[in-house]
Amino acid sequence: MLSNSRAGCLKDPEVAELFYKDDPEKLFVDLREIGHGSFGAVYFARDMRSSEVVAIKKMSYSGKQSNEKWQDIIKEVKFLQNLRHPNTIEYKGCYLREHTAWLVMEYCLGSASDLLEVHRKPLQEVEIAVITHGALQGLAYLHSHNMIHRDVKAGNVLLTEPGQVKLADFGSASIVAPANSFVGTPYWMAPEVILAMDEGQYDGKVDVWSLGITCIELAERKPPLFNMNAMSALYHIAQNESPVLQSNHWSDYFRNFVDSCLQKIPQDRPTSDVLLKHVFVKRDRPQTVIMDLIQRTKEAVRELDNLQYRKMKKILFQETRNGPTAEAQDDDEVRPPPRVIK
Ligand code: ADP
Ligand code: MG
């Protein structure tokens, strides 16, 4: 292996310039964990210099496969650095400390998947339409630059306090279309990604498929086949007919949108650009849909029992412009125990 690709090696100026030289421990304070991934954890934090609230994804590159981890970090940072769109997460820079990269991004309240977890019921159609519209605009931007996200799902669609929708998690993204590797999360994967294992190539349309699965996830709380193990699900996606929305209370527009996203043959599936003209996302709707949803979610979080509350209180972290509220700050806060029915 080239010494330049070794973990933490900054000899290559192109790599060195990806990172700020400051010590992030001195710049960012009030760190509180808000998410977890295979790489490590994501934190709420405040930038000392501006008091701005940010999110920090800490990615370690020590231990086993440190060189591979380092390459993954460089890939994600390079990808984030090039993104400039209202519906993709804003990147603010990366720092290194103790074999850990600190990826600093704009702060979001939580993911669409967090909302499902708080409410324990599907979202309303108009809410799904706004979230889908935001994600689709982000995708159309990526696709117009020949990039593919490759891991579209409710857990990677984030919402901000003022009600914007942001695509996040570019750890699986590809900067070239067409691509041909087997990347993504099984239940959301397009048939052609699964089949790319032994045939051909795929493009941005794989994200359109995953967006269709995400619509079903938002409407039914889980993606189709979620009760199967991942291997069986992959086989099923490749071999069987496309899933459809189960309940018949959804509008024909919504149904048709999902059906279009889930065309098995990529040539029959519209591009993200064409889908932006679909009535489901274009239909008039109140400006405040997401703000109302966030308000409703915050109220629901306050009502959660202790265990769930601990997991979801992150949604309340940004109650004020300047950081966590007294409520969110108190880590050891004891909430009234759930009522015991005798
Ligand atoms: P992974 O590759 O492990 O899925 P993600 O980048 O998706 O990592 O981050 C994991 C989780 O952390 C997300 O699902 C989300 O809940 C939270 N998260 C990530 N980025 C942000 C952010 N900018 N603001 C708020 N929460 C975030
Ligand atoms: Mg993710």
Side-chain angles (χ1 to χ4, degrees):
M1 170 167 305
L2 290 170
S3 67
N4 270 347
S5 58
R6 276 226 192 99
C9 176
L10 297 176
K11 275 196 203 125
D12 180 350
E14 242 189 75
V15 171
E17 72 185 15
L18 296 173
F19 305 101
Y20 286 118
K21 304 293 171 278
D22 317 67
D23 177 359
E25 289 274 5
K26 296 210 173 82
L27 297 180
F28 300 99
V29 293
D30 293 347
L31 268 70
R32 317 161 117 261
E33 193 174 318
I34 50 176
H36 220 91
S38 42
F39 57 86
V42 179
Y43 298 83
F44 167 102
R46 215 158 37 78
D47 186 329
M48 286 271 282
R49 298 161 291 187
S50 57
S51 284
E52 185 188 23
V53 166
V54 295
I56 301 178
K57 184 168 173 173
K58 285 195 189 178
M59 303 172 81
S60 148
Y61 52 92
S62 59
K64 268 189 285 176
Q65 301 193 309
S66 59
N67 293 338
E68 284 78 1
K69 289 183 194 164
W70 177 245
Q71 290 312 315
D72 286 348
I73 292 168
I74 291 174
K75 215 181 110 209
E76 188 163 346
V77 168
K78 278 188 175 165
F79 203 99
L80 276 169
Q81 216 179 27
N82 288 320
L83 298 180
R84 264 164 209 86
H85 189 270
N87 298 103
T88 56
I89 200 90
E90 187 194 334
Y91 171 70
K92 294 179 186 284
C94 194
Y95 301 78
L96 298 177
R97 189 193 156 94
E98 292 168 353
H99 287 85
T100 305
W102 295 40
L103 243 98
V104 184
M105 307 166 268
E106 76 177 299
Y107 183 78
C108 297
L109 290 181
S111 69
S113 157
D114 293 332
L115 300 178
L116 293 171
E117 189 160 340
V118 169
H119 292 294
R120 305 203 155 270
K121 58 175 196 236
L123 301 185
Q124 293 162 19
E125 182 167 324
V126 62
E127 296 167 341
I128 300 176
V130 187
I131 294 172
T132 304
H133 193 193
L136 188 59
Q137 290 178 92
L139 289 178
Y141 162 76
L142 293 181
H143 298 165
S144 72
H145 290 83
N146 263 328
M147 303 184 269
I148 320 177
H149 185 287
R150 297 200 291 194
D151 202 12
V152 175
K153 54 181 179 181
N156 289 336
V157 178
L158 307 186
L159 302 177
T160 67
E161 175 88 46
Q164 300 149 303
V165 179
K166 307 268 175 173
L167 277 180
D169 193 355
F170 294 90
S172 309
S174 166
I175 43 168
V176 284
N180 60 11
S181 42
F182 182 69
V183 172
T185 311
Y187 307 94
W188 289 262
M189 265 185 190
E192 68 269 26
V193 178
I194 299 166
L195 295 168
M197 285 190 288
D198 49 30
E199 314 167 3
Q201 296 180 322
Y202 56 80
D203 59 18
K205 285 187 178 175
V206 303
D207 290 335
V208 171
W209 172 281
S210 305
L211 187 67
I213 298 294
T214 305
C215 284
I216 299 185
E217 180 186 12
L218 298 174
E220 299 173 5
R221 293 183 54 209
K222 295 283 177 249
L225 314 178
F226 205 64
N227 55 349
M228 279 187 197
N229 71 56
M231 280 311 287
S232 312
L234 288 174
Y235 183 83
H236 197 289
I237 295 165
Q239 294 300 323
N240 295 52
E241 274 179 28
S242 300
V244 292
L245 282 168
Q246 290 300 314
S247 157
N248 51 22
H249 85 276
W250 306 110
S251 73
D252 287 342
Y253 297 131
F254 187 18
R255 254 170 215 298
N256 178 276
F257 182 87
V258 171
D259 291 346
S260 309
C261 291
L262 298 182
Q263 287 299 313
K264 274 197 83 176
I265 302 169
Q267 288 75 14
D268 297 343
R269 198 181 309 149
T271 59
S272 47
D273 214 33
V274 165
L275 271 177
L276 279 173
K277 302 193 186 82
H278 198 285
V279 204
F280 175 60
V281 291
K282 283 203 77 176
R283 225 174 350 163
D284 265 345
R285 53 191 181 230
Q287 286 277 308
T288 55
V289 172
I290 296 292
M291 259 127 65
D292 295 344
L293 171 61
I294 288 173
Q295 215 40 54
R296 193 156 67 81
T297 308
K298 285 182 173 176
E299 279 153 29
V301 168
R302 292 194 185 91
E303 302 294 316
L304 290 174
D305 65 34
N306 255 325
L307 203 68
Q308 273 299 97
Y309 178 77
R310 280 189 181 280
K311 195 162 165 215
M312 286 301 159
K313 65 180 178 183
K314 62 175 186 176
I315 292 181
L316 305 173
F317 281 1
Q318 210 186 12
E319 286 282 69
T320 64
R321 287 264 155 253
N322 297 323
T325 54
E327 172 179 24
Q329 227 156 29
D330 186 2
D331 247 344
D332 299 320
E333 179 187 6
V334 179
R335 286 168 48 87
R339 257 182 310 163
V340 181
I341 299 164
K342 286 206 180 123

